[in-house]
Amino acid sequence: MSDAKAMKRVPCWLICLALAVVFALPVISVMPVEAQERRSLFQRLFQPNKRNERVKPRVTRKKKAPRRKTRKNGQIRAAASTAPGKFEKNADARIVLVAGDFLAGALAGGLETAFSDSPAVRIVKQTSGSSGIVRDDYYNWRAVLPELLEVHRPSVVVVMIGANDRQDFRTTDPPLARRSDQWRKEYETRVSALAELITSRNIPLVWVGLPSFASPRASSDMVAFNAIYRRAAAEARGEFVDIWDGFVSEAGTFVTSGPDINGQPARLRSSDGINITRAGRRKIAFYAEKPLRRILNSATALDAGTAGLENLPMLKLDPVDSLKIDRTNPVAFDDPELDGGHELLGANVEADLNGGAALAKKLTVEGVAAPGKPGRADNFDWNGGSGE
């Protein structure tokens, strides 16, 4: 049988199927594997892909390797990490030593923020969180503090202690029950000894009082402790700072939140009713900041670092000797001298340079008004100052 006759016997549909397979194979071979899996067999044979171009594979970008820190970049990073207004402390900066328990640690953090812009003032925190005055067997401040004063040589000492002293005296013979008469006497003796230990070295003392606590009994004890601290600081010629009103409501009760140093509402205490938040630490420091700035004087200025400590005035080591004006005496209208009204505060100024009586005395005693120029409001002459 010839080849032509054999071809005639092959069905036409089989020939068409073979031709379709032949033409479809190149298209299938160039298609990506993923595209071939998505197309059915019928689509592969009779619906070839119209996109003859090869699909480009997805390119994943490699992460850039971090650049090596050069000296220039290191300087930029250091400048960016330093917050504006922060200064490096001078080597001979005046030391403010903060001593006490965990509340003193919070106070030290607030003072570091308060004096961060003062290059001539450095805050040194020497605190023991669980310490107190009662448990001298755990931490004896009267034995430790002299060494701290010798090492740091502070210009001012700030003490805040007593939150852990709500307990009996167990080291005494016999033990003393908390808040008993014997307990109070022993406690006052130890507090006074601690205050005298500082001021006897001619170092100014700022004793910061305790705040209220969530427990009413604890707050009651803090009130009694503050009275002892206030009396001991005054006897030792130190200064007592009362912060109680800053952490209670108008009714005098404990509050968790209250106004911060800017008068804005803020959370001052933690949820346990004992510890202090960041805003609370800054608020405690706000109370102690005023007496500290007065004692340190010009050392708290922003330009103290450029001037040098040798140009600063000497410290007032005994703040109690300075005149403390906390009120103004009332002025009586029938007093000829008007309670020294003819003198300026802090200076003796002659009232009448011509040797005559003071103008106030003339007006109140003699009934004669001071002569004024014509046309002025102080001209009380009926004739308008003409002298007629």
Side-chain angles (χ1 to χ4, degrees), residues 310-332:
E310 64 277 2
N311 298 326
L312 297 176
M314 295 298 294
L315 279 176
K316 181 70 175 177
L317 297 180
D318 192 0
V320 179
D321 289 344
S322 60
L323 180 60
K324 184 177 181 181
I325 301 175
D326 56 358
R327 64 187 298 271
T328 302
N329 295 326
V331 178

Side-chain angles (χ1 to χ4, degrees), residues 15 36 97 122 139 142 180 194 319:
I15 297 174
Q36 293 180 18
L97 179 65
R122 180 183 291 110
Y139 197 90
R142 291 175 294 174
S180 62
L194 185 62

Side-chain angles (χ1 to χ4, degrees), residues 95-109 111 123-133 139-142 144-149 152 154 156-163 194-195 197-198 204-210 229 284 292:
I95 303 298
V96 177
L97 179 65
V98 182
D101 52 21
F102 67 96
L103 291 179
L107 169 61
L111 289 176
I123 307 299
V124 175
K125 182 177 71 171
Q126 292 291 332
T127 60
S128 177
S130 301
S131 66
I133 297 177
Y139 197 90
N140 192 342
W141 277 105
R142 291 175 294 174
V144 174
L145 193 56
E147 183 179 356
L148 296 178
L149 298 179
H152 298 288
V156 188
V157 175
V158 182
V159 176
M160 189 175 187
I161 197 171
L194 185 62
L197 189 150
I198 299 170
L205 167 65
V206 177
W207 196 300
V208 180
L210 301 175
Y229 305 149
I284 296 178
L292 287 177

Side-chain angles (χ1 to χ4, degrees), residues 335-349:
D335 185 0
E337 296 294 336
L338 295 180
D339 287 335
H342 60 282
E343 295 181 357
L344 296 176
L345 181 63
N348 295 325
V349 181

